Amino acid sequence: MNDIDRRFQTQSIAIVRKAQRAEKLKKDLENCLHEAKQVFFGEVSDTVGFLPDCIEEVTAEIERLDKDQCDLEDEWRAANAPQLEAAE
């Protein structure tokens, strides 16, 4: 495995793990908001009113991580283009 492949693999794994944690956090926040709405009969109190913004921030982070993963894959393909073409 060359340096480019090792770097791709390391960065890709890191991005995937961050995305998984972000997805879990988003689900936990959504569950918390749902439970708060049940407790407060649909009205979100000031105590948990920040949750929708948090969910939006986590969603934006997930989208950024997805873009980073795509960019990383494009970079890897470009760096390995000669080998990929030779294999065809």
Side-chain angles (χ1 to χ4, degrees):
M1 183 179 289
N2 64 34
D3 288 341
I4 293 169
D5 291 338
R6 272 191 292 281
R7 186 166 95 27
F8 170 77
Q9 185 177 24
T10 301
Q11 289 180 343
S12 180
I13 289 169
I15 290 170
V16 167
R17 287 183 179 156
K18 286 178 185 177
Q20 288 170 339
R21 287 191 304 269
E23 287 284 353
K24 183 181 181 323
L25 176 60
K26 179 183 173 187
K27 186 177 182 342
D28 290 346
L29 290 170
E30 288 171 339
N31 289 340
C32 184
L33 180 60
H34 177 73
E35 289 179 26
K37 285 182 177 180
Q38 287 182 330
V39 169
F40 297 110
F41 305 104
E43 293 185 27
V44 180
S45 72
D46 292 339
T47 308
V48 294
F50 65 93
L51 286 174
D53 290 337
C54 291
I55 293 168
E56 287 180 25
E57 287 179 30
V58 172
T59 301
E61 181 64 13
I62 292 168
E63 290 170 358
R64 187 191 66 77
L65 289 167
D66 286 345
K67 183 184 178 314
D68 287 352
Q69 181 68 27
C70 290
D71 292 347
L72 183 62
E73 289 171 2
D74 289 345
E75 183 182 326
W76 180 85
R77 279 190 201 92
N80 287 298
Q83 293 93 328
L84 295 172
E85 290 173 7
E88 292 177 353

